[in-house]
């Protein structure tokens, strides 16, 4: 089975559409690692598009905040403004969909979490020490996470010690015989100085992983954000990938 793995769409419809087009329908199922909404201008449209495909989705910290399950004061000013706007823009149908999403799950021998297996909603796995302690918090060989908006692979090399690997794009990576924490990066809010939408392709039969990037019409999303008077910093950062 080929699985399209995405995370952190963040209501960026143009980026999400570009990912689906780039993947070319060459997948059987979507796994979404959370944060369907937040930051961007198209929360309902992104949720609707995701629901048009067979998929498994998690909830993320922005999804929770929009639903009132997290204190918005724990977010920075721009993120907080976008969350409050999203609360008003959210349809009841989208709200009910988001409410039903789990924080973590195990699918086909892969652990899925938004932030980390240790703290699925909020913890960021940004470095080797944080990754190292998280390997003890899942029983499968591999764990898929999002939240940081940066594609990376952490490999357990011994107990409580891991090594980070930068993404190599469009080349399948063999997964067998390794314990890995894999982050596909963000569809709608990349933070690794590359503004292209990021995603991954997981082949559960060949047991391979492939990092992928695709450009999208950033100005379309920016124009929609301006229409809704979302914070300027959130608009500007899209073209920088930070």
């Amino acid at each position: 089975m080929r699985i399209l793995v995405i995370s952190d769409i963040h209501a960026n419809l143009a980026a999400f559409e570009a990912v689906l087009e780039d993947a070319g329908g060459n997948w059987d199922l979507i796994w979404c690692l959370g944060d369907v909404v937040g930051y961007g201008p198209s929360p309902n449209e992104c949720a609707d598009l995701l629901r048009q495909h067979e998929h498994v989705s998690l909830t993320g910290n922005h999804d929770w905040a929009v639903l009132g399950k997290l204190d918005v004061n724990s977010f920075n000013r721009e993120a907080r403004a976008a969350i409050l706007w999203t609360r008003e823009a959210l349809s009841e149908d989208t709200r009910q969909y988001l409410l039903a999403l789990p924080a973590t799950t195990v699918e086909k021998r892969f652990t899925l979490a938004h932030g980390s297996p240790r703290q699925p909603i909020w913890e960021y796995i940004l470095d080797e020490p944080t990754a190292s302690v998280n390997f003890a918090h899942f029983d499968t060989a591999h764990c898929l996470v999002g939240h940081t908006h940066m594609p990376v692979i952490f490999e357990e090399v011994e107990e409580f010690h891991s090594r980070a690997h930068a993404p190599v794009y469009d080349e399948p990576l063999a997964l067998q015989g390794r314990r890995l924490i894999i982050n596909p990066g963000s569809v709608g809010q990349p933070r690794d100085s590359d503004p292209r939408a990021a995603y991954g392709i997981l082949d559960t039969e060949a047991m391979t992983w492939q990092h992928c990037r695709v450009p999208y019409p950033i100005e379309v999303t920016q124009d929609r954000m301006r229409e809704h008077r979302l914070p300027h910093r959130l608009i500007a950062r899209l073209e920088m990938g930070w």
Side-chain angles (χ1 to χ4, degrees):
M1 176 174 282
R2 286 176 61 86
I3 300 168
L4 172 61
V5 182
I6 59 176
S7 190
D8 299 277
I9 300 170
H10 281 299
N12 189 335
L13 183 63
F16 190 14
E17 290 174 334
V19 164
L20 293 178
E21 182 177 355
D22 191 61
N26 191 23
W27 40 270
D28 305 296
L29 180 67
I30 295 175
W31 287 353
C32 177
L33 305 177
D35 276 354
V36 176
V37 303
Y39 291 128
S42 305
N44 299 309
E45 294 87 344
C46 286
D48 289 344
L49 182 55
L50 180 58
R51 294 166 71 188
Q52 290 174 24
H53 303 276
E54 186 176 356
H55 74 284
V56 171
S57 186
L58 304 179
T59 191
N61 59 309
H62 282 257
D63 301 322
W64 265 26
V66 166
L67 296 171
K69 298 173 74 173
L70 281 180
D71 183 356
V72 295
N73 291 317
S74 60
F75 293 78
N76 66 50
R77 181 178 60 185
E78 290 85 4
R80 184 164 62 247
I83 287 165
L84 295 176
W85 175 85
T86 304
R87 284 182 180 178
E88 296 299 318
L90 212 66
S91 70
E92 183 58 27
D93 192 43
T94 301
R95 177 179 170 80
Q96 291 303 317
Y97 169 72
L98 295 176
L99 278 169
L101 299 180
T104 184
T105 188
V106 175
E107 298 286 335
K108 301 185 183 302
R109 306 186 309 280
F110 286 79
T111 299
L112 279 56
H114 177 63
S116 75
R118 180 170 65 171
Q119 298 178 21
I121 293 296
W122 197 256
E123 184 176 35
Y124 292 86
I125 302 182
L126 287 164
D127 51 42
E128 291 173 350
T130 307
S132 297
V133 298
N134 264 282
F135 278 98
H137 291 267
F138 62 97
D139 297 324
T140 58
H142 309 106
C143 179
L144 304 178
V145 301
H147 194 39
T148 68
H149 299 202
M150 293 187 287
V152 67
I153 295 175
F154 292 99
E155 180 178 7
E156 186 179 47
V157 293
E158 59 185 61
E159 189 175 13
F160 302 118
H161 181 61
S162 67
R163 181 181 297 120
H165 300 279
V168 177
Y169 294 104
D170 302 319
E171 289 186 20
L173 170 73
L175 302 180
Q176 292 282 26
R178 315 159 89 177
R179 288 200 83 210
L180 304 171
I181 297 174
I182 303 173
N183 191 322
S186 171
V187 171
Q189 281 273 324
R191 299 273 171 83
D192 59 344
S193 300
D194 183 342
R196 297 177 299 165
Y199 68 98
I201 295 290
L202 172 66
D203 189 324
T204 60
E205 294 179 6
M207 283 302 287
T208 60
W209 168 268
Q210 185 172 322
H211 281 291
C212 303
R213 294 303 276 261
V214 59
Y216 73 95
I218 294 171
E219 68 280 358
V220 170
T221 301
Q222 290 176 318
D223 287 345
R224 290 173 180 166
M225 293 175 76
R226 291 187 187 100
E227 289 175 13
H228 297 298
R229 299 183 179 181
L230 289 166
H232 173 75
R233 183 171 179 269
L234 298 182
I235 298 170
R237 73 188 305 176
L238 288 178
E239 59 197 81
M240 305 296 181
W242 55 263

